[in-house]
Amino acid sequence: MSSDQDHLQETDTEERFEFKKEEKSAVRSDKGLTEEVVRLISEDKDEPEWMLERRLRAFRQYEEMPMPSGWPGMPDLSGLDVEEIVPYIRPDVDKREGADDWEDLPDEIQDTFEKLGIPEAERKALSGVGAQYESEVVYQNMQEQWEEKGVIFCNMDEAVQEHEELVKEHFMTNCVPPSDNKFAALHGAVWSGGSFVYVPEDVTVEMPVQAYFRMNSEGMGQFEHTLIIAEPGSEVHYIEGCSAPKYGTHNLHSGGVEVFVKEDAHVQYSTVQNWSKNTYNLNTKRAIAEKGGTMEWISGSMGSKATMLYPSTILKGRGATDNHITIAFAGEGQDIDTGAKVYHNAPDTKSTVESKSIAKDGGRTNYRGLVQIADGAENSSTAVECDALMFDNESTSDTMPYMEIEESKVNVAHEATVGKIGDEDIFYLQSRGLDDDDAKQMIVSGFIEPITEELPIEYAVELNRLIELEMEGSLG
């Protein structure tokens, strides 16, 4: 094992995620969602008029749309009161555009990201890093070699000002419009921060770029927006990390992600989300893949009170491909509802979905997915595989796959397995010298290995450690 891996395993992961900092804000909005709050956010960012208009239009749509309801087995959102959420907190930092040197950040923010290991990861394995604290990106940096090739990696607030036409064309227009759902409309009204990634034609960014989103304050909402544009023949891997400490009141995370995969481009989007057990995690993520384009989603979700997360891909061009790999972990009092949506709108398109879920201490996981193959999308194929592992009789794992097939010349496959950790498996491993906890951890590690092997080693180690802490009941 390398020294880097040794260091990561020795790190006190629980301490890294559970610490809290005293809030020090330059601007803090009132609780709830009102037109005054929307205008305050836009004014504080000095946005162009068209962005304010889009925010206000999204706000009106939010007011008119009902809360999600009537879905079979959907998580209970009755404890979420948006009127008690603070949607905008700008941290007190000197540089609004984000510092490009960690030393330029206030000590408490610098210490936060040092504990999370972000500067170390940047030095060793990343092409660029963005770090968001509360509602604003506080650090942003990109290696010079990629900037020279025309790659853009900046925060969304800067992109609105510096790359206005690209943002105006792609931001919440035909990928994730505010009309998609109530929380997409909420996001469109109060979004703040996030990442903008642009990769020119035929450029391959050989090391991942990463953004990390830290929600520190009690009772706040975080609404970062990520916009990725991969021009024809380009390739990029974007990694997203998220975390928050536990408080007595509810927090809300409602991010938005839009990915445009142009002809023969390849985008991988990996995320490890470790929210606290007082956080509602309600996101909208979507990609559009054109002819020959490949989109990959790799998602790990745990820690929140309730999660509703279903990354979706529209396979728009002939030969486009989509791959989803997801893992969900639910412990006591948690309802983790995740899945994938794929729309085959062109011939010769292909999708695969692999879902792994783990439930213990009465927690609930659910795979909720949709595969739609349109009339005329002949010679398309899809394969969905869902595997669930439960620790006890009180835990629940459900599978709700929906298939809408309107074309006859296709190949469709689905399989699902649900299993419980058996006493005989534990006994066998104990006979080999492992104690009960280590035996269970080994079984879980083997269960999720097909997913962790797709992640860079630093994040695979971190994901395994997070799940180990969840099994111990040590987080959030």
Side-chain angles (χ1 to χ4, degrees), residues 193-212:
S195 300
F196 177 77
V197 180
Y198 175 83
V199 187
E201 186 171 353
D202 294 326
V203 172
T204 296
V205 183
E206 294 167 355
M207 294 191 297
V209 296
Q210 182 194 16
Y212 200 96

Side-chain angles (χ1 to χ4, degrees), residues 253-267:
H253 176 253
S254 186
V257 174
E258 300 181 285
V259 184
F260 293 85
V261 187
K262 303 297 180 68
E263 185 172 337
D264 295 323
H266 184 174
V267 176

Side-chain angles (χ1 to χ4, degrees), residues 23-30 36-37 39-45 86-93 96 133-136 192 217 220-221:
E23 181 189 316
K24 294 182 180 180
S25 58
V27 176
R28 177 186 174 99
S29 72
D30 292 334
E36 288 73 24
V37 166
R39 289 184 178 276
L40 178 148
I41 295 171
S42 189
E43 180 180 353
D44 190 53
K45 296 176 180 294
V86 179
Y88 184 66
I89 299 176
R90 172 159 65 85
D92 190 8
V93 295
R96 289 296 302 274
Y133 191 83
E134 313 295 32
S135 299
E136 193 146 304
S192 182
S217 295
M220 77 164 291

Side-chain angles (χ1 to χ4, degrees), residues 422-440 442-443:
D423 292 339
E424 64 278 7
D425 299 324
I426 301 295
F427 179 78
Y428 173 79
L429 292 173
Q430 287 177 328
S431 72
R432 293 294 186 268
L434 276 68
D435 63 23
D436 184 74
D437 290 340
D438 288 341
K440 290 178 180 178
M442 179 172 285
I443 292 171

Side-chain angles (χ1 to χ4, degrees), residues 154-168:
C154 66
N155 68 70
M156 274 302 302
D157 296 307
E158 179 182 343
V160 170
Q161 305 290 345
E162 301 297 329
H163 309 286
E164 185 172 356
E165 292 308 310
L166 275 173
V167 175
K168 193 173 184 179

Side-chain angles (χ1 to χ4, degrees), residues 52-119:
L52 173 60
E53 291 174 359
R54 290 192 187 184
R55 287 183 181 275
L56 292 173
R57 185 162 60 245
F59 167 66
R60 289 190 288 270
Q61 289 174 304
Y62 169 81
E63 285 195 309
E64 295 169 358
M65 298 174 75
M67 286 285 285
S69 62
W71 296 14
M74 70 171 288
D76 181 9
L77 303 181
S78 61
L80 173 61
D81 184 356
V82 175
E83 296 309 307
E84 290 299 314
I85 296 292
V86 179
Y88 184 66
I89 299 176
R90 172 159 65 85
D92 190 8
V93 295
D94 292 334
K95 297 180 70 173
R96 289 296 302 274
E97 68 275 16
D100 57 9
D101 189 323
W102 292 105
E103 298 298 323
D104 292 338
L105 293 175
D107 290 344
E108 69 275 7
I109 295 179
Q110 188 181 147
D111 180 63
T112 293
F113 289 105
E114 286 285 356
K115 280 189 168 72
L116 294 167
I118 307 306

